[in-house]
């Protein structure tokens, strides 16, 4: 089945450690996105990429890094510089520009710093 | 960053009632999307709108792309318990990134 897959579903990290969240899609979408969601809040854009080997900062990029070496994959690294990393992280993908640019989301990764 | 104003922020209704929510923007969008998010899950696309004035239905859900291209509305008729969740609107200008509203949390009393 075509879709977008995030892993793991739950992730625990010790303070001071970097951690990488996986996002893979087989929808042949050009654009991919990472959002952060805090309890009772909306979605805030961390990074997005509209083409392989290119990405742009979103509204809350500090403390995060990404790469886009393959069209299918857009991993997000939460670094030790992120002061409050505990949150629900959502990855999405879409065609870039034009019509039929619906974004489809993965199931999310809940990151908890312990 | 750019924001959409989504209202209401929360709704508490009785089962069987109709629901209306909306999103407004100071900017013109050429795409409006409506999503529903269940607890602990990713948002699921409900309806996509691409043309000003467009009215689209998906079962008991109906959404409209405002004529001014600066707003969109979502209506749910005859609500049922599984309609509970958070509803998000999202808009896009051309090839720009999607912008999301803050969400409407729907609670239904049986």
């Amino acid at each position: 089945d075509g879709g977008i897959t995030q892993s793991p579903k739950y992730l625990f990290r010790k303070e001071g450690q970097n951690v990488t969240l996986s996002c893979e899609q087989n929808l042949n979408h050009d654009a991919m996105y990472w959002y952060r969601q805090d309890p009772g809040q909306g979605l805030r854009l961390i990074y997005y990429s509209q083409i392989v080997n290119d990405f742009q900062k979103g509204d809350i990029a500090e403390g995060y890094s990404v790469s886009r070496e393959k069209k299918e994959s857009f991993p997000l690294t939460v670094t030790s510089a992120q002061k409050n990393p505990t949150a629900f992280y959502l990855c999405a993908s879409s065609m870039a520009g034009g019509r039929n640019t619906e974004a489809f989301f993965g199931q999310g990764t809940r990151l908890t710093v312990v | 960053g750019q924001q959409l104003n989504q209202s209401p922020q929360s709704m508490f209704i009785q089962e069987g009632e109709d629901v209306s929510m909306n999103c407004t923007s100071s900017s013109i969008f050429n795409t409006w999307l409506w999503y529903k998010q269940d607890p602990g899950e990713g948002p699921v696309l409900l309806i996509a709108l691409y043309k000003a004035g467009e009215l689209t239905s998906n079962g008991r859900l109906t959404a409209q792309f405002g004529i001014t291209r600066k707003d969109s509305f979502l209506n749910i008729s005859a609500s049922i318990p599984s309609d509970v969740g958070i509803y998000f609107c999202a808009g896009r200008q051309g090839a720009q990134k999607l912008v999301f509203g803050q969400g409407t949390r729907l609670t239904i009393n049986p």
Side-chain angles (χ1 to χ4, degrees), chain B residues 1 10 14 17 22 29 32-36 53-54 58 60 67 71 74-75 80 82-83 86 100-101 103 106:
Chain B
S10 59
Q14 297 294 123
E17 289 185 7
N22 70 84
F29 289 104
W32 283 98
L33 307 173
W34 284 93
Y35 292 85
K36 177 178 183 260
E54 181 179 358
N58 178 6
R60 293 177 296 103
I67 290 291
D71 56 10
L74 176 70
N75 296 316
I80 60 177
S82 63
D83 291 334
I86 304 175
F100 279 84
L106 179 62

Side-chain angles (χ1 to χ4, degrees), chain B residues 2 6 9 11-12 19-21 36 41 48-49 51-52 54 59 63 68 72 87 93 97:
Chain B
Q2 192 175 20
Q6 185 171 350
Q9 290 187 351
M11 301 183 71
F12 299 85
V19 173
S20 291
M21 61 189 78
K36 177 178 183 260
E41 302 294 329
L49 302 161
K51 186 177 178 181
E54 181 179 358
T68 65
S72 180
Y87 291 81
Q93 299 172 311
K97 63 184 186 291

Side-chain angles (χ1 to χ4, degrees), chain A residues 9-10 33 35 37 39-45 48 50 57-59 88 90 94-108 110, chain B residues 1-3 30-31 33 35 37-45 47-48 50-51 54 86 88 92 94-103 105:
Chain A
K9 178 75 171 173
Y10 300 95
Y33 312 81
Y35 293 90
Q37 187 177 31
Q41 302 297 313
L43 307 177
R44 293 188 290 169
L45 183 64
Y48 66 105
Q50 294 186 309
K57 293 181 179 180
D59 301 318
F88 190 50
L90 287 161
S94 73
M95 296 300 288
R99 198 174 172 87
N100 297 330
T101 54
E102 303 97 335
F104 296 92
F105 283 85
Q107 291 290 85
R110 185 167 299 282
Chain B
Q2 192 175 20
Q3 289 283 327
N30 59 13
T31 299
L33 307 173
Y35 292 85
Q37 185 180 29
D38 292 323
E41 302 294 329
V44 174
L45 182 67
I47 294 178
Y50 297 103
K51 186 177 178 181
E54 181 179 358
I86 304 175
F88 290 100
R92 188 197 300 274
Q96 299 299 315
K97 63 184 186 291
L98 275 176
V99 178
F100 279 84
Q102 290 298 96
R105 183 179 297 272

Side-chain angles (χ1 to χ4, degrees), chain A residues 2-42:
Chain A
I4 180 166
T5 303
Q6 289 185 242
S7 61
K9 178 75 171 173
Y10 300 95
L11 190 57
F12 296 87
R13 186 195 94 173
K14 291 183 179 180
E15 281 193 38
Q17 288 183 339
N18 292 355
V19 64
T20 298
L21 282 60
S22 170
C23 180
E24 304 277 333
Q25 55 95 4
N26 60 5
L27 300 167
N28 199 32
H29 283 169
D30 300 301
M32 297 186 75
Y33 312 81
W34 275 105
Y35 293 90
R36 171 181 171 139
Q37 187 177 31
D38 292 290
Q41 302 297 313

